[in-house]
Amino acid sequence: MDDLILTSDNDQTNRKAESSPRGFSKKEDEDKTTTQMNLEQCSLENPVFNVAENITLNFGSNKKTDWEQTLPTELQASVGHKIRSLRESWNFSTKQKCEQRMEVPLHVIKQDNLSVEEFGNACSWSFKRQTDKIKITPDNIFNEATTVCKETNEISHEPVSMQRWNVVGLAGTAGIGKTTFCKLVLNRWIETHPHSYAFYVCVKDIDFTEKYNVLQLLLSSNVHSYVYNQLSDNILLDSINSTADTLIVIDGLDEAGKSIDFFNNPSGMTLFECKSAFNILMNLLNCRLLPNAKKLVASRPNALQNFNPDCKPPFMTQVLGFNKDSQSLFIKSVCKIETQKKLVLTELEKQPTISALCFIPMFAGMIVQYLCDNVQSNRRIISVTDIFVKNLENWQRSPKFKTDSEHLRNLTELAFDGIKHGQFTFSSKQVTFETVEPFMFVHANNPQQPGLTILDGEKMYFFIHTTWQEFLAALYLMIYMPCEDFAVILSTIFRENLWWLVVQFLFGFCSPQIKGSLNKIFPESVAPEEKVAILKNTFQKSLQFFSNLPKDFPIPPADWFNVKAMLIGNEFNSRKSDSKLFNMCIWACEAADLDLITGLANSLPNPLLLSREILPHEVMCFCHILTHAEKKRVLNVGDWLESATFPGTGLHTLLDTVQHSKHGIKKLHVDQADLSKNLNVILNILPDMIEMALCDCDMTIANASELADVISHQKIHLSFLGLSNNDLKGFGKHLAKCFNMVDILRLPGCNLQDTDLFWKNEYKRNRMMRWLNLSRNVMSKSALDNLALSVHDIDGMVLYKCWIDGPNLKTLCNEIQERHKPLEVFSLGGNSIGLTGVALLSTCVHNINQLWMRNCNMDKTQLRILLTAVSTLGRCMRCLSISGNKVDPENFAILAKCVHTTHQLAIDSCNINAEGIEVLCHDIKLRLEPMSTLSLADNNIGDQGANALAQTLRKIEVYNVKNCGITPVGETALCKVNFEWKREFFGIQNRGMKLDVGSSTLLPCEESSV
């Protein structure tokens, strides 16, 4: 039996023999029981891990973990001591490497909106919650993840497993502070959990061509002294697996290389197997491995955009760098003299484009330091590229600069090849030149002693920051690469987001001032004039891309209550983020070339949709381009379903630019806007708008009153007004002023009181309001009775999750019955109204066109009452949604009868199986006219159900079969029949396929339907 080896590398012979291969052969079925049996047989005479005498451990403890308490009594003391000593040494090594002092706080927030199925299909309605304002800190990041995942599980039909609550994603642009925040989290964890394991895994240190065991991967970045041994590895892994307070930080996922496709499914594995690094990473993130461990994974956004959904962190955060207060603190920390600080601030005010970059800590450090050093000489910074070129000039003048011209050429080529092949760590075989300072770091994979930089291990090199690698790659392209090769590769790097910063540096080199600096640094190089011409020509050709940019959200709010419209809208907002517009604005500004700027400005679509999150420097560059447009441009900022967000001063910059130009904003939908700075400008340009939403903006009653006054006094007609997630208690009397000027009013989560809903005597409408959304406001009996008085003037009511008691619906249902024409939309989703509420609703269902009852927790008796009322209607209602309510087999028949009285039927997540679908399809085939839409998402109907649906294509126009367990066999059956009918399918993996006549082969098709 092998000895239990928990030791340092004092035994050099043993270390060299054991550590040469990364992997080892191991039976895949070895489990915890076997490991503990082997442990009992181990010799206890092996050397215990010895900590160097000059190191003091401040967090040592004799506390036993749960795993250690399961050991036989005679082994607990010795083995437990070895494990604790090893853990403490690892944590010490990790803490030393990740030591991080951050006197200036980083701004970190939750990245994604909480997606809530307010009605219709999955993810059909999104809104911000008040908790989005909570700033993420190293102390609260995992608690926030738990809170959000719990909330998601309460309202979603796709719950997140509790084990995956432990996984947090951290995204951010280059230089924004992701690594800094990761190290802050790790250091704070070691301080607050001194008896836990803490691992820092830098993806740069992983060789994805090699095999690892889990322990080797966890120790790959920090601990090179541990002697890997199969038995001791498994004992330690078992200890780690049983510990609830383990933290694993995975930093730089985007640096894994182009060959790694994170959308692929990882193969299953056990804890003790030896597998590829990709498999281990993905199984850590999907929690098949070490499910109890907390995991933080950091990356630039591109690596997380196309991530496997089973492995993608359910809770995403985003580093936004320095806010204004942090920037001020940072400038103060760099400029030690007050007059110096004032001069730097003055210079930044003169250069708003440069100032806008100071939210990125890396750029802030370079900009502020340069201005601080040259504040008296009046030497200005003109671009990001200028910052890097000036640093290169300073390094070249320094006696410490060890990289001569030939070595610099080799270094730039290495940087270019690395980005081309997705490589960010380089071996000594690749770095054949001796001097790499100050651009690269070097470490050894297996040094003799922990804590030293380079000893006897294999040397591995990496650039001091990925952005410096990108800058050097751009230098290689512009200075050294032959023109003919440059022209060929340019078309490729223009299309790939991986190269966007490299391309930005290329455009920066086009500036006459920077070209002059480059000529001084590289006097023997060929002048890049020909490459500049190629670059500008490629830019001009790329302007045709703008014709494909979205001009507006495809579904207007008035047409939203339609299952197909919701599916289309959800697909639109789920589209892959395309940053090409802002990238090209940045590139043109970086070049400071008037021809590029005016050409881009005059190519902007009209109107143009600006959506999602827009960073300060992106806004600044876009506004600079916009001011050069010859004709008026109309902007749609955000859409009514997904508002735009502007960190920092971006929104103020955009609004101010529009206010002082000929351009206009037709639709403004923003989240978390600072109304103290922006409300006056918004009110000034409000007369030109037709839609506006100010969500989660800390709007006060005074703000709301001012808004209502402007709308009423200037008689501004808005087709949509949204004020979600603002505390508007007492808003009713102010809203009454402008109530008749708004077609659609959306007020979820506004803390409205009973009296805020009493509008009947306060306003007179000339026409019906399209719909009123009061979701997530508590609706008492008094509130519902007040609202009932308005039911004759409103065509739709959305009362999702309003904590409604069924008996309190009596007055409202009576008023609905008395309407002269059917109420167009009525949503009670997310309310458990009970038997009494369902009975009351059934009395007025004949006077409702669209009834949305998603997630109402209806039992089989309540469903039978409601479905009976619908199935006996003397007309066809436009839509019925009972999604998220379990339909028992005994109600399949009555549900099937409802297909004759509904044009659209949404029964997502209703626990309907293939037999239920067959019952449903029998009645569908008996319809005289085709149904508009049948939504079946998240019901496990399989191929049997798909075959049944294939027989109904004559009778249904649109299908939603997302997550229905249909295999390619079932898809083929649907495609074969659909070749004749051309129906639309949502949720089919091969949605863009058609069937080749005479075969069962699926061929690519440009059409969006099956």
Side-chain angles (χ1 to χ4, degrees):
M1 173 61 64
D2 292 336
D3 288 341
L4 171 63
I5 303 175
L6 297 176
T7 179
S8 66
D9 23 347
N10 295 331
D11 183 352
Q12 290 300 312
T13 305
N14 186 34
R15 181 183 68 79
K16 291 178 180 178
E18 291 288 272
S19 64
S20 55
R22 290 190 181 273
F24 49 81
S25 60
K26 180 67 181 169
K27 291 187 296 182
E28 294 187 2
D29 59 349
E30 181 170 2
D31 58 12
K32 181 176 179 177
T33 304
T34 305
T35 303
Q36 290 190 353
M37 289 176 62
N38 289 338
L39 180 59
E40 294 181 32
Q41 301 170 16
C42 292
S43 167
L44 300 179
E45 302 302 323
N46 294 289
V48 176
F49 188 95
N50 294 314
V51 180
E53 292 182 359
N54 62 333
I55 296 177
T56 301
L57 296 179
N58 297 320
F59 37 81
S61 172
N62 292 324
K63 180 180 178 180
K64 295 178 182 177
T65 65
D66 293 339
W67 181 84
E68 291 168 42
Q69 293 174 6
T70 65
L71 289 172
T73 305
E74 63 273 16
L75 291 177
Q76 285 186 7
S78 180
V79 176
H81 174 69
K82 292 180 180 182
I83 291 175
R84 288 194 300 274
S85 297
L86 199 57
R87 180 183 66 227
E88 291 164 357
S89 176
W90 288 350
N91 283 359
F92 182 81
S93 175
T94 300
K95 190 174 177 65
Q96 275 194 318
K97 178 166 184 175
C98 297
E99 192 68 41
Q100 189 70 50
R101 293 185 63 191
M102 193 65 185
E103 298 177 358
V104 180
L106 286 169
H107 187 204
V108 183
I109 62 167
K110 289 161 56 178
Q111 184 185 47
D112 292 333
N113 295 351
L114 189 62
S115 189
V116 180
E117 302 84 8
E118 194 156 330
F119 29 70
N121 60 298
C123 301
S124 64
W125 189 270
S126 301
F127 55 81
K128 288 272 190 181
R129 296 182 62 87
Q130 295 286 1
T131 51
D132 281 358
K133 296 180 182 179
I134 295 177
K135 300 299 185 290
I136 302 300
T137 68
D139 289 312
N140 73 4
I141 185 167
F142 290 106
N143 290 335
E144 280 299 302
T146 298
T147 300
V148 169
C149 289
K150 281 182 179 178
E151 292 174 345
T152 303
N153 284 0
E154 289 176 2
I155 56 181
S156 175
H157 66 274
E158 297 178 349
V160 180
S161 66
M162 288 188 65
Q163 292 174 335
R164 298 200 65 230
W165 296 5
N166 294 328
V167 184
V168 175
L170 182 73
T173 190
I176 200 74
K178 299 182 294 296
T179 295
T180 297
F181 189 77
C182 282
K183 291 180 177 180
L184 289 170
V185 170
L186 191 139
N187 275 280
R188 187 61 181 152
W189 188 268
I190 292 176
E191 290 171 6
T192 57
H193 300 77
H195 313 303
S196 66
Y197 292 94
F199 300 100
Y200 176 78
V201 181
C202 181
V203 175
K204 285 180 179 179
D205 297 327
I206 299 173
D207 186 347
F208 281 86
T209 65
E210 296 282 352
K211 287 189 175 182
Y212 293 75
N213 72 9
V214 176
L215 188 63
Q216 287 169 320
L217 186 132
L218 294 178
L219 300 177
S220 59
S221 291
N222 293 332
V223 180
H224 307 297
S225 57
Y226 172 70
V227 180
Y228 294 107
N229 171 275
Q230 181 174 334
L231 179 57
S232 56
D233 288 2
N234 290 353
I235 292 172
L236 286 163
L237 282 171
D238 210 8
S239 172
I240 296 167
N241 191 42
S242 63
T243 305
D245 289 335
T246 296
L247 172 65
I248 302 170
V249 175
I250 302 169
D251 188 16
L253 195 69
D254 54 296
E255 297 174 355
K258 292 177 67 175
S259 61
I260 306 301
D261 186 354
F262 288 107
F263 190 78
N264 289 337
N265 283 308
S267 60
M269 63 179 293
T270 65
L271 183 62
F272 310 108
E273 282 186 84
C274 188
K275 287 275 189 176
S276 70
F278 169 81
N279 266 295
I280 296 175
L281 280 177
M282 298 298 273
N283 279 289
L284 285 171
L285 295 178
N286 65 23
C287 293
R288 292 175 188 161
L289 295 177
L290 303 180
N292 298 321
K294 300 288 192 293
K295 295 142 190 159
L296 175 63
V297 55
S299 171
R300 291 189 188 183
N302 57 293
L304 295 171
Q305 282 180 351
N306 294 317
F307 214 74
N308 185 290
D310 293 332
C311 304
K312 187 173 183 177
F315 179 74
M316 287 297 304
T317 60
Q318 183 174 14
V319 185
L320 296 179
F322 291 156
N323 59 22
K324 272 295 181 185
D325 292 337
S326 293
Q327 290 176 35
S328 180
L329 284 173
F330 181 76
I331 294 171
K332 185 176 180 180
S333 69
V334 175
C335 303
K336 304 302 182 182
I337 305 172
E338 186 64 25
T339 54
Q340 207 174 36
K341 175 187 173 183
K342 290 180 179 179
L343 288 171
V344 168
L345 289 172
T346 301
E347 189 62 30
L348 288 174
E349 288 179 3
K350 294 178 183 176
Q351 303 183 69
T353 305
I354 297 300
S355 178
L357 291 167
C358 286
F359 79 99
I360 301 176
M362 179 184 179
F363 294 164
M366 299 170 71
I367 292 169
V368 174
Q369 188 63 59
Y370 180 83
L371 292 177
C372 191
D373 293 341
N374 298 276
V375 72
Q376 300 296 338
S377 62
N378 201 28
R379 295 174 63 185
R380 304 186 68 185
I381 297 173
I382 62 171
S383 65
V384 173
T385 309
D386 192 27
I387 304 169
F388 281 78
V389 171
K390 281 180 166 57
N391 270 272
L392 184 59
E393 287 179 312
N394 289 339
W395 282 343
Q396 194 180 38
R397 287 193 293 265
S398 170
K400 295 181 179 180
F401 189 82
K402 299 179 180 179
T403 306
D404 59 28
S405 299
E406 185 59 32
H407 287 155
L408 193 56
R409 177 192 177 103
N410 294 334
L411 200 62
T412 60
E413 186 172 7
L414 181 72
F416 169 77
D417 288 338
I419 294 176
K420 181 179 179 180
H421 299 103
Q423 185 180 4
F424 301 92
T425 304
F426 306 89
S427 69
S428 54
K429 294 179 181 179
Q430 294 172 289
V431 183
T432 56
F433 38 94
E434 294 182 2
T435 53
V436 295
E437 294 183 15
F439 302 105
M440 298 187 85
F441 287 139
V442 58
H443 70 77
N445 271 351
N446 297 301
Q448 283 187 343
Q449 300 175 24
L452 299 183
T453 306
I454 307 169
L455 290 171
D456 67 338
E458 180 189 1
K459 292 180 179 179
M460 298 299 294
Y461 298 81
F462 54 91
F463 288 89
I464 55 176
H465 195 279
T466 307
T467 308
W468 270 106
Q469 182 175 349
E470 291 164 320
F471 172 74
L472 291 171
L475 274 179
Y476 175 76
L477 284 165
M478 184 60 77
I479 303 297
Y480 298 114
M481 178 175 276
C483 279
E484 55 272 19
D485 295 339
F486 180 81
V488 171
I489 198 169
L490 205 57
S491 60
T492 300
I493 66 177
F494 251 73
R495 294 194 302 266
E496 297 182 4
N497 282 335
L498 177 68
W499 295 90
W500 75 269
L501 192 52
V502 175
V503 178
Q504 180 175 343
F505 286 130
L506 288 176
F507 278 102
F509 297 152
C510 296
S511 164
Q513 180 178 327
I514 294 178
K515 279 192 293 187
S517 299
L518 289 180
N519 288 333
K520 294 178 183 178
I521 300 173
F522 306 99
E524 298 177 0
S525 64
V526 179
E529 291 298 333
E530 186 176 350
K531 291 181 181 178
V532 170
I534 295 171
L535 189 63
K536 292 181 178 180
N537 185 51
T538 305
F539 183 93
Q540 297 290 353
K541 289 181 179 179
S542 298
L543 294 178
Q544 60 186 358
F545 149 83
F546 287 162
S547 62
N548 298 323
L549 289 175
K551 298 181 178 181
D552 199 359
F553 186 67
I555 309 296
D559 298 338
W560 178 246
F561 288 93
N562 177 298
V563 175
K564 179 181 176 181
M566 292 178 180
L567 291 167
I568 293 172
N570 182 54
E571 281 201 345
F572 180 82
N573 276 337
S574 299
R575 71 195 187 280
K576 183 178 178 181
S577 179
D578 193 337
S579 56
K580 192 67 175 290
L581 167 64
F582 293 112
N583 285 349
M584 293 188 71
C585 290
I586 291 169
W587 297 343
C589 291
E590 193 77 10
D593 186 287
L594 187 59
D595 291 338
L596 296 183
I597 290 172
T598 54
L600 175 55
N602 293 323
S603 300
L604 292 174
N606 197 19
L608 172 63
L609 175 64
L610 303 177
S611 59
R612 299 179 176 171
E613 183 182 74
I614 309 173
L615 298 176
H617 68 296
E618 294 175 332
V619 178
M620 186 66 69
C621 292
F622 173 78
C623 289
H624 183 65
I625 299 296
L626 187 65
T627 56
H628 286 79
E630 295 176 357
K631 297 181 180 178
K632 178 181 178 180
R633 290 295 190 274
V634 174
L635 305 179
N636 294 321
V637 182
D639 61 69
W640 68 272
L641 197 61
E642 185 180 38
S643 299
T645 56
F646 293 84
T649 59
L651 180 60
H652 184 75
T653 301
L654 178 64
L655 295 175
D656 189 62
T657 299
V658 170
Q659 184 182 22
H660 295 96
S661 69
K662 58 180 173 287
H663 309 296
I665 294 178
K666 187 177 181 181
K667 301 178 181 180
L668 178 67
H669 302 270
V670 292
D671 266 348
Q672 302 184 45
D674 185 352
L675 296 185
S676 65
K677 297 179 180 179
N678 296 309
L679 184 60
N680 287 336
V681 184
I682 291 172
L683 296 179
N684 287 338
I685 63 177
L686 184 60
D688 296 327
M689 296 186 201
I690 62 171
E691 291 181 12
M692 186 180 73
L694 302 174
C695 305
D696 203 8
C697 292
D698 287 329
M699 176 175 279
T700 65
I701 289 298
N703 296 150
S705 175
E706 192 174 358
L707 173 63
D709 286 342
V710 171
I711 293 174
S712 60
H713 292 161
Q714 298 190 33
K715 300 189 183 306
I716 300 170
H717 178 260
L718 294 175
S719 60
F720 180 92
L721 176 62
L723 302 175
S724 307
N725 297 326
N726 294 291
D727 188 353
L728 299 181
K729 178 181 178 181
F731 181 49
K733 60 183 179 182
H734 302 290
L735 180 62
K737 305 174 190 175
C738 63
F739 198 79
N740 62 324
M741 302 301 295
V742 179
D743 283 348
I744 295 172
L745 182 60
R746 186 167 177 249
L747 301 171
C750 288
N751 193 28
L752 298 178
Q753 305 299 296
D754 296 355
T755 54
D756 289 326
L757 306 178
F758 188 74
W759 300 314
K760 183 64 179 175
N761 297 324
E762 300 291 336
Y763 69 92
K764 293 181 180 179
R765 289 194 62 91
N766 297 324
R767 60 182 182 277
M768 300 286 279
M769 174 177 276
R770 290 295 188 95
W771 47 272
L772 171 67
N773 186 338
L774 298 173
S775 299
R776 294 182 292 111
N777 291 285
V778 177
M779 290 288 159
S780 64
K781 183 180 185 302
S782 175
L784 290 169
D785 289 348
N786 286 340
L787 187 61
L789 299 175
S790 306
V791 78
H792 300 279
D793 300 301
I794 300 173
D795 237 359
M797 288 188 178
V798 182
L799 306 176
Y800 183 87
K801 204 172 185 180
C802 287
W803 298 273
I804 294 173
D805 289 332
N808 295 342
L809 287 169
K810 183 176 181 179
T811 303
L812 184 59
C813 289
N814 287 340
E815 292 296 330
I816 292 174
Q817 285 190 71
E818 298 299 322
R819 278 179 57 102
H820 297 303
K821 66 175 185 177
L823 183 66
E824 187 60 34
V825 175
F826 192 41
S827 170
L828 287 173
N831 297 289
S832 297
I833 60 176
L835 187 61
T836 302
V838 172
L840 289 169
L841 182 62
S842 298
T843 64
C844 65
V845 73
H846 65 278
N847 216 20
I848 300 173
N849 272 339
Q850 301 187 55
L851 180 61
W852 301 82
M853 300 293 291
R854 186 179 188 90
N855 296 335
C856 286
N857 197 30
M858 289 186 285
D859 60 25
K860 59 183 179 181
T861 302
Q862 296 166 23
L863 270 175
R864 186 167 60 250
I865 292 173
L866 179 62
L867 294 176
T868 299
V870 173
S871 64
T872 56
L873 290 174
R875 64 179 182 88
C876 261
M877 66 188 311
R878 189 165 299 168
C879 180
L880 171 67
S881 171
I882 57 168
S883 299
N885 297 283
K886 182 180 178 181
V887 179
D888 289 282
E890 59 192 82
N891 281 331
F892 284 167
I894 189 65
L895 175 62
K897 299 301 178 187
C898 292
V899 303
H900 301 287
T901 55
T902 56
H903 289 297
Q904 301 178 46
L905 182 61
I907 46 177
D908 309 333
S909 305
C910 285
N911 201 38
I912 297 174
N913 54 22
E915 289 73 20
I917 290 298
E918 289 175 339
V919 173
L920 197 68
C921 290
H922 176 269
D923 271 79
I924 290 173
K925 290 187 288 185
L926 299 177
R927 276 184 60 104
L928 298 177
E929 298 292 334
M931 287 182 70
S932 171
T933 307
L934 177 64
S935 187
L936 296 165
D938 301 293
N939 292 292
N940 189 20
I941 67 173
D943 291 341
Q944 182 181 345
N947 286 323
L949 289 175
Q951 302 173 37
T952 67
L953 265 65
R954 293 173 54 246
K955 298 296 184 179
I956 302 177
E957 295 174 351
V958 180
Y959 295 79
N960 179 21
V961 288
K962 178 185 177 184
N963 299 331
C964 284
I966 300 175
T967 71
V969 175
E971 292 182 9
T972 301
L974 288 170
C975 288
K976 189 171 184 178
V977 179
N978 198 46
F979 184 73
E980 175 184 357
W981 293 99
K982 302 293 188 296
R983 301 305 193 191
E984 279 193 89
F985 276 81
F986 290 83
I988 289 284
Q989 185 175 0
N990 293 315
R991 185 179 169 200
M993 311 297 280
K994 69 179 181 181
L995 195 72
D996 187 19
V997 180
S999 75
S1000 59
T1001 304
L1002 290 172
L1003 299 177
C1005 176
E1006 293 181 359
E1007 298 178 7
S1008 60
S1009 59
V1010 174

